[in-house]
DNA sequence: GAACTATATCTTGAGATCGAGATTCATGAT
DNA sequence: ATCATGAATCTCGATCTCAAGATATAGTTC
C-alpha cells in the first residue's frame, strides 16, 4: 500500500507546469546555481495565486470577497458565541493590524460582525459574528469545499494525506514560533 | 529507500500547525461537513503568505520589492537579450494587465528595465532588462535561494522531490489550460 | 503606588492591485 | 479593399494592504 503510493507519485504523470519551465530556464541561464528549492516553493506561491483567483470566483456567487470569508469563518469556527479579539484574528488571517481594523470596520458596516468591549481587558475589543454573518459564512464554506474537492481530484486520498503531512512540516515552524 | 521515505513522512514528526487547529475547530463546529480539502489547500495558502513575508524581508537588503523581483527574474531567465512582451510577463507573474503596465512604468523609472517597440507587431512592446536590472536580479536570487534552502531543511531531499511532484499535479491543470 | 515596560488596538498616508473599458493594430473572410 | 473579430497593451477609478506611529490600558518592579 505504501509502496504503491510512492511508486505512483514518483514515477507517473509527468505533465509539465510553469515551474518546470522556470527551473529549466534557470538551469540554462545560471548553471552555477542550485535552484532545487524553487521546485517546491515556487509551486506553493503560484498555486496560492491560482487558488486566490478561483476563490474570488466561487465567492462572488455569494457576494463575498475572499478577505471577508477569511474573517467570517475564523469567527464561525470559534464556536458560539462566535467572537474573537482582533489579535486572534490576526494570527488566523496573517494580515497586519491596520488591515484587520479596516476589515472589521467594513464588515461592521455591512452588518456581518459587531464590535463589543472586552469585559476582562479595557484595552481590548471582541468581534462578534451577527446571525447573518454566520449564515453567509456557512453558505460560502460549502461552496469553497466543493471547489477545492474538484481541484484535489488530481490526487488519491493517500496522496492528499501525504501532501498535507509534508506541507505541515514547512508551515509548523512559522506557526509555532513568534514569527 | 522509498519505504523509508514513506514511513518517515507518514508516521513521524507530528508537530501541529494552525491548520491542524483550524480543521479540528471545523470538525467540532460542523461535524456534518467533510473538511479534508482544507488540510492541503489551507496549508498552501498560509504557507504562501508566510513565504511572502520572508521574501519581503530578504529582498529589503537589496532594496527590492517582491513584485520587482518577480518581473526582473522573469526577464533574467529568458536569456539574452533579456526581453519579453508584457503578455508573457503576465503568464509568469499571474497578475492582471493593468498591474503589469504599472510595474513596468515603475521599473522603467528606476532604470531597471526599458520599453522597446516590438519590431514584428506594431501593437506590441518588448520589455528589456538593463544591465543594472540584471545585476540586481542575480544578487537577489542568490539571497532568496539561501533563504528557501533554510526553510526546506525541514525535509529530506527525497521528501522535497515528492512534495514537488505532488504539487505539480495541482498546478499543472491551472498552467496548461486557458485558466 | 509610581515608573517602566509590554500589550492591544486604532489611525494615517503611501503605494499596489484589480476590473472594466478604451485604443490600436493584426488577421481572415468576403 | 472592407469589415468583423480578436489580440496586445494601456488608462482610470476604487479598493485593499502595509508600515509606522499614536493611544490607552495591563502587568511588574522597586
Amino acid at each position: 500500500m505504501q509502496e504503491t503510493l510512492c511508486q505512483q507519485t514518483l514515477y507517473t504523470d509527468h505533465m509539465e507546469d510553469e515551474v518546470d519551465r522556470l527551473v529549466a530556464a534557470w538551469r540554462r541561464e545560471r548553471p552555477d546555481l542550485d535552484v532545487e528549492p524553487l521546485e517546491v516553493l515556487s509551486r506553493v506561491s503560484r498555486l496560492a495565486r491560482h487558488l486566490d483567483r478561483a476563490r474570488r470566483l466561487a465567492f462572488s456567487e455569494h457576494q463575498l470577497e475572499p478577505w471577508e470569508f477569511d474573517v467570517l469563518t475564523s469567527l464561525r469556527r470559534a464556536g458560539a458565541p462566535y467572537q474573537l479579539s482582533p489579535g486572534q484574528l490576526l494570527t488566523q488571517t496573517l494580515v497586519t493590524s491596520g488591515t484587520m481594523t479596516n476589515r472589521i470596520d467594513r464588515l461592521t458596516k455591512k452588518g456581518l460582525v459587531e464590535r463589543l468591549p472586552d469585559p476582562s481587558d479595557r484595552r481590548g475589543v471582541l468581534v462578534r459574528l451577527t446571525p447573518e454573518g454566520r449564515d453567509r459564512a456557512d453558505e460560502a464554506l460549502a461552496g469553497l469545499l466543493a471547489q477545492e474537492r474538484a481541484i484535489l481530484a488530481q490526487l488519491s486520498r493517500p496522496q492528499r494525506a501525504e501532501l498535507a503531512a509534508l506541507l505541515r512540516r514547512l508551515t509548523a515552524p512559522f506557526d509555532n514560533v513568534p514569527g
Side-chain angles (χ1 to χ4, degrees), chain A residues 43-128:
Chain A
R43 284 195 172 90
V44 169
S45 294
R46 289 184 62 89
L47 180 54
R49 283 197 68 74
H50 286 304
L51 292 174
D52 258 3
R53 292 179 165 189
R55 292 205 312 164
R56 192 177 311 261
L57 226 75
F59 292 148
S60 64
E61 297 173 24
H62 304 278
Q63 272 89 45
L64 271 190
E65 300 290 322
W67 64 264
E68 296 178 296
F69 177 84
D70 287 339
V71 176
L72 296 181
T73 51
S74 292
L75 294 167
R76 174 63 183 86
R77 65 175 174 265
Y82 308 118
Q83 56 191 25
L84 291 173
S85 70
Q88 291 174 304
L89 287 171
L90 289 193
T91 71
Q92 301 231 352
T93 55
L94 297 178
V95 296
T96 59
S97 68
T99 300
M100 185 53 68
T101 299
N102 188 12
R103 289 184 175 187
I104 296 168
D105 288 346
R106 284 175 279 159
L107 286 170
T108 302
K109 269 182 210 143
K110 292 180 76 171
L112 302 180
V113 308
E114 54 191 346
R115 253 188 264 252
L116 309 172
D118 183 337
S120 69
D121 183 341
R122 256 183 301 184
R123 290 171 303 180
V125 171
L126 289 178
V127 182
R128 179 154 69 191

